[in-house]
Amino acid sequence: MDKRKIIFDTDPGIDDAYGIIAAMKQPDMDVLGICTVAGNKGIEFTTTNALKLVHLMDYDCMVYKGAGESMLKVSEDAGATHGADGLGGVKLDYDESKLSDMHAVDYILETVKANPGEIEIIALGPVTNIALAIEKDPETMKKVKVIWTMGGGVHRGNITPVAEFNYWYDAKAVEIMFSIGTDVPIHMIGLDVTHASVFTGNDLTFMKLEGGKLGEILFEMVGPYIESYWKHSRYTGCVIHDLLTVIYAIDQSVCPEEGIYHSNLRVSTKGITIGQTVVDLVNSWKLPVNSIVPMKVDSRKYKEIFFEVLFGKEKVELYKKHVKS
Amino acid sequence: MKKIILDVDPGIDDSLAILLAAKSDLNIVGITVASGNVEVNQGSINAIKALEIAGRDIPVYKGAELPLVRDYVDATDTHGPDGLSGMNYKVKGKANDGAIDFILDTIKENPNEVTICALGPLTNLALAIEKDIETMRKVGRIVVMGGAAKIHGNCSPVAEYNFWVDPHAAKRFFKANLPNVTVAGLDVTYDILFSPNMREMVKQFGGEVAQYVYDITQFYVDFHWEQERTLGCIINDPLLVSYLIDESIMKAYPCNIDVETEDLCIGESVVGFDVPSDFDGDYPINAKMCMEVDKVKFFDVFFKTIFPEHVADYELMKKKGYILK
């Protein structure tokens, strides 16, 4: 079987870690490389964290360091949410030799050139690298098979009332990315669906009890996340935005077909709404479709797929039978 | 009894709001008009018409002819060339000049006792704030129809007409941080659908008031069907009047509201619900936003107040499921 060829573009980050690990465990996905970008933490942190994940999973791929700052030059450190090191304070080793000398932008372009129409990019952070690649060589980037991007939101924000962190961090890059959305399918997993898919205390405890060593590590990782959600939003649990993006890339049926909008999407790059995605769900502007935006999610199915991918069929049966979210 | 000023731009739904207010026990002391759905002279004629239909003699004052900064865009595509489905009513009464002074003088004479019900662009209120903010701070209460927090707009995917047509006025209004401001926007008004079944019922009620309601809503019904395949028309403005009659009709939440004045998201209400109550920075709690509505309660107030002689018919139609299914 030919495996799906995946490049991650990411700023790990706890929820990035969940997503990357899920893809590494998914049998039909081949993670070719992990590109890093500044976002949740600075570029040195996110690169080290990517190396830690490769080491933890003993996965055969390289890490490519990318953009250290956004095109619009904002900076916000999400340290409080992700823990000081960005991975919830979990101690993990890494192997420096897995870091390539090649810049992430060049890696993306070279890989797409070598595999035209076959590369899927899963973007879990600010999309600066993708935008830089498009600026450098738009024709090559139009040969990307599909982009799965976590960011934006139609009716909600998190860093401002209307903007989501990744897209707010580099709104200019978002604008550039969606400029190829008429050639490359771009699926946007935004806050409308991620916030509808909460991992509860029950879910996470099940993972710790039945997920072996990996389950324990992942449980430990979300500690600061849970604290922060309790403090700010009074959830007992957490939203793992990036994981939903990867699970959706694995199996699109987690987002029911009738809730998926093929729309024109633009992004605000100015004013108090900077970073906001403006998605014309009702096609009132009659502009070209450049985005695929799910607005509904089957949250239970999402978690079942995650547990199956990570821990196998037997465990997910146990989950289905005994655990209510 | 609290003195109420209606600030309007009639407009079909404004006219229904005036009719509802004028037929109710609310103490309406004056109506101020600004250019919005139609320009201010036509709007004033329409306001007087609604009062004459209600059999009330309440003074009407003309205010702003144009938005503060933006070029003026009316809404005659939605409301008809005269703002009332092309009925071109003639009226006996005459409007006065001096809306801004009327607002300020009324507040000066009745400090902390005046309620302003703002159903159009916020131009008149912004001008009153500019002229004498100290007096405006002595307003008792302001309820505003405008904006959209977590739902798509009607002038763009993110903007609602009243704020969109004069975003600078809306921004100035919210920056002034006046006491006791409640806003109801599209989040709640989309539920207020005046259906063809209701229209036909009203027609059967007979009489001058019924004929008026029937006639002025014709264009609205046609527009909504043509534009968005909604059968029936959304009557935003009477909802705010009903809220003054019975506050349990809507539930409002404290928030900060700011308004975008440039570019892609111009006119958008940026509504932040998670502002800490002790926050005194750029985005303090400056309003409450209505996010839930009891539409049956609304229509009870609407029909029973405007057609007190047909309460039994209305109840029967409800019971038979002919309306409010």
Side-chain angles (χ1 to χ4, degrees):
Chain A
M1 178 177 69
D2 278 348
K3 289 191 173 188
R4 294 166 66 179
K5 295 175 177 163
I6 310 289
I7 294 176
F8 270 103
D9 189 47
T10 172
D11 61 335
I14 297 164
D15 56 338
D16 306 69
Y18 270 68
I20 292 166
I21 289 169
M24 286 174 165
K25 296 280 279 183
Q26 169 65 11
D28 75 346
M29 282 187 166
D30 187 4
V31 179
L32 303 180
I34 300 179
C35 297
T36 58
V37 64
N40 284 328
K41 305 294 291 182
I43 186 69
E44 298 307 327
F45 271 110
T46 60
T47 304
T48 304
N49 287 343
L51 288 166
K52 285 177 179 175
L53 295 172
V54 171
H55 189 75
L56 172 70
M57 300 306 290
D58 191 20
Y59 202 86
D60 182 24
C61 77
M62 298 292 280
V63 172
Y64 302 84
K65 195 197 285 185
E69 55 186 19
S70 66
M71 291 174 144
L72 280 182
K73 310 270 185 265
V74 297
S75 118
E76 166 89 356
D77 195 303
T81 310
H82 291 264
D85 63 352
L87 286 180
V90 179
K91 295 279 167 274
L92 294 170
D93 296 329
Y94 62 97
D95 177 359
E96 196 77 51
S97 73
K98 290 286 194 177
L99 178 62
S100 168
D101 292 336
M102 196 184 228
H103 192 277
V105 171
D106 295 320
Y107 172 72
I108 292 171
L109 287 171
E110 290 312 312
T111 313
V112 175
K113 263 185 221 160
N115 305 272
E118 293 184 0
I119 299 297
E120 302 181 40
I121 299 178
I122 303 181
L124 304 179
V127 295
T128 317
N129 289 334
I130 295 173
L132 291 171
I134 292 168
E135 284 202 328
K136 195 164 178 179
D137 185 351
E139 289 316 308
T140 294
M141 286 305 281
K142 284 179 189 171
K143 296 189 183 103
V144 169
K145 184 179 180 189
V146 55
I147 297 173
W148 313 91
T149 163
M150 192 280 131
V154 181
H155 299 312
R156 64 187 301 164
N158 54 14
I159 186 84
T160 77
V162 295
E164 177 280 334
F165 176 83
N166 285 341
Y167 282 13
W168 170 87
Y169 188 89
D170 198 344
K172 186 73 202 161
V174 176
E175 184 173 71
I176 294 169
M177 175 172 74
F178 280 99
S179 74
I180 63 164
T182 45
D183 297 282
V184 177
I186 304 179
H187 294 259
M188 182 189 98
I189 293 291
L191 297 177
D192 309 278
V193 275
T194 63
H195 272 277
S197 49
V198 180
F199 270 79
T200 65
N202 286 0
D203 299 323
L204 296 166
T205 302
F206 169 79
M207 179 176 74
K208 187 184 176 195
L209 289 168
E210 288 294 326
K213 184 85 190 118
L214 185 59
E216 278 177 29
I217 290 172
L218 289 172
F219 183 85
E220 198 188 335
M221 228 182 246
V222 290
Y225 239 28
I226 296 174
E227 227 170 87
S228 145
Y229 274 108
W230 174 248
K231 240 169 138 176
H232 299 300
S233 320
R234 286 285 184 263
Y235 287 177
T236 47
C238 57
V239 173
I240 311 179
H241 308 276
D242 295 338
L243 178 61
L244 179 62
T245 311
V246 174
I247 298 297
Y248 172 74
I250 288 172
D251 183 350
Q252 281 171 73
S253 74
V254 291
C255 295
E257 180 70 39
E258 76 272 10
I260 295 181
Y261 290 81
H262 296 252
S263 305
N264 177 266
L265 183 153
R266 293 194 280 173
V267 61
S268 170
T269 55
K270 281 193 190 113
I272 58 170
T273 53
I274 189 164
Q276 176 179 9
T277 46
V278 177
V279 187
D280 189 4
L281 296 180
V282 296
N283 191 26
S284 54
W285 279 345
K286 316 272 182 253
L287 292 168
V289 169
N290 63 347
S291 71
I292 301 161
V293 182
M295 293 295 286
K296 278 191 189 151
V297 59
D298 180 342
S299 132
R300 182 72 183 180
K301 187 171 185 180
Y302 155 58
K303 288 181 270 194
E304 287 173 5
I305 295 172
F306 172 65
F307 287 135
E308 182 167 344
V309 170
L310 255 72
F311 308 119
K313 267 211 156 44
E314 208 175 293
K315 299 292 183 196
V316 83
E317 287 310 320
L318 213 51
Y319 175 73
K320 281 183 187 171
K321 198 164 162 196
H322 297 289
V323 183
K324 288 195 175 110
S325 295
Chain B
M1 199 178 173
K2 288 224 178 337
K3 294 184 155 79
I4 298 173
I5 298 172
L6 299 180
D7 185 53
V8 293
D9 61 332
I12 294 167
D13 58 329
D14 296 75
S15 297
L16 295 173
I18 296 168
L19 180 62
L20 175 62
K23 296 272 287 181
S24 76
D25 295 332
L26 297 173
N27 181 21
I28 311 296
V29 296
I31 293 180
T32 54
V33 185
S35 287
N37 290 324
V38 291
E39 59 81 33
V40 65
N41 292 303
Q42 180 67 53
S44 300
I45 291 170
N46 295 346
I48 292 166
K49 179 67 189 177
L51 291 170
E52 291 181 355
I53 290 290
R56 294 288 303 274
D57 186 19
I58 296 169
V60 173
Y61 298 88
K62 286 192 265 187
E65 289 175 14
L66 294 170
L68 296 184
V69 178
R70 271 196 103 172
D71 288 343
Y72 172 48
V73 183
D74 67 26
T76 51
D77 60 337
T78 316
H79 294 260
D82 63 340
L84 291 179
S85 296
M87 295 302 294
N88 290 309
Y89 293 114
K90 299 281 178 278
V91 294
K92 299 183 202 83
K94 251 185 93 90
N96 311 294
D97 288 325
I100 313 301
D101 288 332
F102 172 73
I103 292 170
L104 291 170
D105 292 345
T106 308
I107 297 172
K108 267 185 217 158
E109 287 158 20
N110 307 274
N112 308 312
E113 285 295 322
V114 176
T115 295
I116 299 175
C117 180
L119 305 178
L122 292 168
T123 321
N124 284 344
L125 296 190
L127 291 171
I129 288 165
E130 184 180 53
K131 190 161 182 182
D132 184 354
I133 189 163
E134 288 317 312
T135 294
M136 285 303 283
R137 284 195 202 291
K138 296 193 186 101
V139 70
R141 178 177 201 196
I142 304 179
V143 296
V144 176
M145 191 279 135
K150 291 182 182 294
I151 198 161
H152 66 90
N154 57 12
C155 287
S156 82
V158 296
E160 175 282 330
Y161 178 79
N162 284 346
F163 289 5
W164 175 86
V165 73
D166 195 348
H168 300 85
K171 189 177 187 84
R172 186 184 294 176
F173 172 78
F174 287 107
K175 284 291 178 200
N177 201 355
L178 298 180
N180 213 352
V181 172
T182 305
V183 180
L186 301 179
D187 302 273
V188 282
T189 65
Y190 273 136
D191 267 352
I192 306 303
L193 188 72
F194 185 68
S195 68
N197 281 357
M198 290 176 182
R199 266 188 94 227
E200 293 306 322
M201 176 186 75
V202 165
K203 191 177 183 193
Q204 295 313 315
F205 287 172
E208 193 190 15
V209 177
Q211 191 62 45
Y212 170 77
V213 171
Y214 187 82
D215 287 341
I216 67 171
T217 47
Q218 180 62 56
F219 198 88
Y220 232 13
V221 172
D222 297 347
F223 172 84
H224 278 81
W225 177 249
E226 203 48 51
Q227 195 68 21
E228 51 198 35
R229 287 287 180 264
T230 299
L231 187 60
C233 49
I234 290 150
I235 50 173
N236 307 292
D237 293 338
L239 181 58
L240 277 289
V241 174
S242 78
Y243 184 63
L244 294 179
I245 296 170
D246 179 356
E247 203 158 308
S248 72
I249 287 174
M250 289 193 281
K251 198 161 174 219
Y253 297 86
C255 59
N256 174 270
I257 301 181
D258 196 359
V259 178
E260 180 63 277
T261 53
E262 53 182 321
D263 215 55
L264 179 63
C265 299
I266 191 162
E268 177 177 6
S269 55
V270 176
V271 184
F273 287 103
D274 300 326
V275 189
S277 54
D278 56 352
F279 184 79
D280 55 0
D282 284 348
Y283 300 98
I285 296 286
N286 60 1
K288 281 196 213 166
M289 186 90 186
C290 296
M291 297 302 288
E292 287 155 39
V293 59
D294 184 336
K295 69 171 174 188
V296 175
K297 235 179 204 176
F298 164 77
F299 278 112
D300 284 352
V301 168
F302 182 77
F303 284 113
K304 289 177 181 177
T305 307
I306 296 180
F307 303 105
E309 65 280 19
H310 292 288
V311 169
D313 291 334
Y314 167 70
E315 290 294 355
L316 185 62
M317 289 298 103
K318 241 170 77 175
K319 199 169 153 200
K320 285 185 171 178
Y322 186 70
I323 54 170
L324 291 168
K325 292 187 224 276

